[in-house]
Amino acid sequence: MGEWEVRLTGRLERGGDTVSFRFERPPDLDYLPGQYFFLHLRKGDRVLVHHFSFSSSPLDKGYIELTTRMRGSEYKKALGSLPLGAKVRIGDVHGEFTLKGVSGKVAFIAGGIGVTAAYSNIKWALQEGVKVDILLLYANRSLSSAAFLEELQSLSEAHDNLKVVHILSRPEPGWTGETGHVNSELIERVVRDWRDRAFYVSGPPAMVASVREMLLGELGLPEARVKVESFLGY
Ligand SMILES: Cc1cc2nc3c(=O)[nH]c(=O)nc-3n(C[C@H](O)[C@H](O)[C@H](O)COP(=O)(O)OP(=O)(O)OC[C@H]3O[C@@H](n4cnc5c(N)ncnc54)[C@H](O)[C@@H]3O)c2cc1C
């Protein structure tokens, strides 16, 4: 267990209302791709705490990053108003939603902002040259509400072992790709080799619970092949 004081060093627009916040990385802060941490913010004499998955890879030098939807909550207002250089407290790194130690074929199913935990793993695996075949099923309302679009596109163009499939519930006019929600029919059609893959599901709790149930129930995958990260608070 650790706790660190770190400075905000950068802010990046990621599409839709999504923003990444970068902080200096303390030399002794170790984490696995896909893990999460607690971020404490001061608001007057109160401390506000939320947890966030890393959207950075442990191989990224000098910074750690979180990515979030900037809704109008008290917490997000406090986060959004931090000036560059502001000090914040980071505590406790947790989680087992990681590709570290995994090989073979995997499929991430990310709902909206759940892409952060997938992105950390994907970026790390490609940087590290891990022998893993990765399929990302990325569910969003529309392309304009999806984060990391350009980053994912250039990663999949540069690496044969990453394929990204977008699934849109309210697509822009003219969209010819997948539509609707992630269900067993879509998995069987789009992920032909689903029987050979380990599944990593991340996103809002309702989406994660229903996709997990479908993978275990309708498709009959064993529990050991389905990992989930539920973003409580969405
Ligand atoms: C393991 C994990 C990883 C996460 N990773 C990310 C991430 O990468 N990016 C991201 O944007 N968000 C992530 N979240 C969610 C994040 O912690 C916030 O809950 C979310 O961003 C909503 O915050 P808000 O300030 O917009 O809403 P809030 O105003 O804080 O909350 C909206 C509603 O949710 C309830 N709520 C808030 N937090 C929780 C909680 N922990 N448990 C139960 N109910 C809660 C509130 O009571 C309120 O009713 C993660 C959560 C978990 C558990």
Side-chain angles (χ1 to χ4, degrees):
M1 294 238 286
E3 218 166 79
W4 300 268
E5 247 201 10
V6 295
R7 283 180 196 280
L8 177 68
T9 54
R11 202 178 270 150
L12 290 85
E13 301 288 331
R14 295 294 196 183
D17 57 355
T18 308
V19 180
S20 292
F21 292 85
R22 285 190 177 174
F23 302 92
E24 63 191 353
R25 180 176 181 177
D28 60 339
L29 195 169
D30 285 326
Y31 64 101
L32 300 175
Q35 284 193 304
Y36 64 88
F37 62 97
F38 289 78
L39 179 65
H40 305 247
L41 298 179
R42 283 202 168 281
K43 177 93 203 271
D45 53 3
R46 289 184 305 134
V47 177
L48 311 174
V49 185
H50 271 8
H51 20 8
F52 294 98
S53 296
F54 289 94
S55 55
S56 48
S57 147
L59 294 177
D60 290 333
K61 294 255 185 293
Y63 71 90
I64 55 170
E65 182 189 276
L66 69 85
T67 301
T68 190
R69 293 223 192 278
M70 294 308 284
R71 295 174 170 167
S73 71
E74 185 182 31
Y75 188 93
K76 299 290 167 71
K77 281 185 191 152
L79 180 62
S81 64
L82 288 176
L84 289 183
K87 278 190 180 169
V88 295
R89 198 153 59 86
I90 282 183
D92 288 0
V93 172
H94 295 282
E96 293 172 7
F97 192 83
T98 185
L99 276 188
K100 180 98 184 195
V102 173
S103 58
K105 293 180 169 188
V106 302
F108 286 93
I109 303 179
I113 193 64
V115 73
T116 54
Y119 187 68
S120 171
N121 275 303
I122 291 169
K123 198 176 178 195
W124 169 80
L126 298 177
Q127 287 169 331
E128 181 76 350
V130 176
K131 295 241 170 305
V132 66
D133 177 300
I134 305 172
L135 174 63
L136 168 62
L137 303 183
Y138 187 12
N140 281 285
R141 266 181 206 188
S142 59
L143 277 188
S144 61
S145 64
F148 292 114
L149 275 189
E150 285 167 24
E151 292 82 353
L152 287 167
Q153 186 172 341
S154 40
L155 284 177
S156 63
E157 281 167 7
H159 299 273
D160 289 342
N161 58 332
L162 171 66
K163 188 176 169 210
V164 180
V165 176
H166 293 282
I167 301 142
L168 305 179
S169 59
R170 288 191 218 155
E172 282 86 359
W175 171 251
T176 56
E178 296 295 332
T179 56
H181 295 284
V182 178
N183 55 29
S184 56
E185 180 277 317
L186 181 132
I187 300 281
E188 289 180 309
R189 186 166 44 78
V190 175
V191 193
R192 291 284 162 113
D193 55 359
W194 60 269
R195 286 185 183 79
D196 306 331
R197 290 187 185 263
F199 284 79
Y200 286 72
V201 188
S202 54
M207 171 265 171
V208 169
S210 76
V211 171
R212 179 176 183 275
E213 210 169 291
M214 177 271 289
L215 293 172
L216 299 179
E218 289 175 56
L219 296 184
L221 285 169
E223 291 216 7
R225 293 250 307 281
V226 180
K227 280 202 172 189
V228 298
E229 194 68 282
S230 198
F231 284 14
L232 295 171
Y234 277 108

